[in-house]
Amino acid sequence: MQPLKFLTVAAPQRHTATVIFVHGLGDTGYGWEPVAEMFKSELPHVKWILPHAPVQPVTGNGGMRMPSWFDIADFTFDPARKPVEDEKGMLETVDALNKLITAEVDAGIPADHIVLGGFSQGGAMTLLTGLTTERRLAGLAVLSGWTPITSKLKMMVNRHATSLSIFWGHGEADPLVRFVFARRSLEFLKTELRMAPASDSPDELKGIDFHSYTGVGHSTSPHELDDLKNWLKRVIPMAL
């Protein structure tokens, strides 16, 4: 994969932290620019990096070319059969996202001042990257996502995984990445990777902070964005 192109939303004050946010299928980084702009006033020390996925054919959409972080065979997500996952495409995206993280570290932002987040397909890539990267990040934010390539993830996970802070938001009415899939992903993280809910941890900055949203489909909501903003203020506060 070629180096990712991205949109940058600069920190209005001294830059001491970075959020890298990965969009969903068919979108671009511009789709999340309004969120970065909206959060500026309460997170003025944060720079946002909003990468654009490469344009490629997506099998599940009849081979149509669109921005995508990996190929998707179909959109049935039938829990009764093993899904066909584009492991090669996923790992290429993990490598590309790690290069964005490395560039921020090389520019002087410590890894533990960097949050990686994403929506849907981008949420899946956030988990795969954040749980396997050699660096311990400030946290991961997963919106309407799922845990990918679980058959391999357990062998790939880094030593920091159980101490990470993870925000996970999911709409209960999601017709695409259904709510039951989020629950199964969380159960995998709990039983296979020994990751605990944040409520079970004496340290509020460790574990999975899960939020469900009644009536919300495959999208975000003002309530979810407010919860995300408050979580970001905890994991990357002004004074670091």
Side-chain angles (χ1 to χ4, degrees), residues 54-105:
V55 175
Q56 56 186 308
V58 175
T59 302
N61 271 351
M64 184 184 299
R65 294 177 61 83
M66 62 182 61
S68 181
W69 297 109
F70 53 87
D71 191 22
I72 296 178
D74 61 60
F75 294 91
T76 59
F77 294 107
D78 184 353
R81 60 186 175 86
K82 182 177 176 60
V84 177
E85 295 183 281
D86 178 17
E87 181 180 327
K88 179 177 181 291
M90 290 180 179
L91 294 180
E92 287 175 349
T93 294
V94 166
D95 182 63
L97 293 175
N98 270 315
K99 287 176 179 174
L100 291 182
I101 295 169
T102 296
E104 285 300 288
V105 172

Side-chain angles (χ1 to χ4, degrees), residues 118-182:
F119 175 80
S120 189
Q121 202 188 35
M125 287 298 88
T126 291
L127 278 171
L128 187 57
T129 305
L131 295 178
T132 62
T133 185
E134 64 183 16
R135 295 184 172 94
R136 186 188 184 284
L137 303 178
L140 310 178
V142 181
L143 310 185
S144 304
W146 72 94
T147 307
I149 55 173
T150 54
S151 60
K152 301 285 182 68
L153 183 56
K154 188 174 180 179
M155 296 181 291
M156 298 167 59
V157 71
N158 63 42
R159 65 186 184 279
H160 311 301
T162 56
S163 64
L164 277 173
S165 179
I166 299 178
F167 175 91
W168 192 311
H170 212 105
E172 294 181 6
D174 192 330
L176 187 60
V177 184
R178 288 185 286 159
F179 191 67
V180 66
F181 300 151

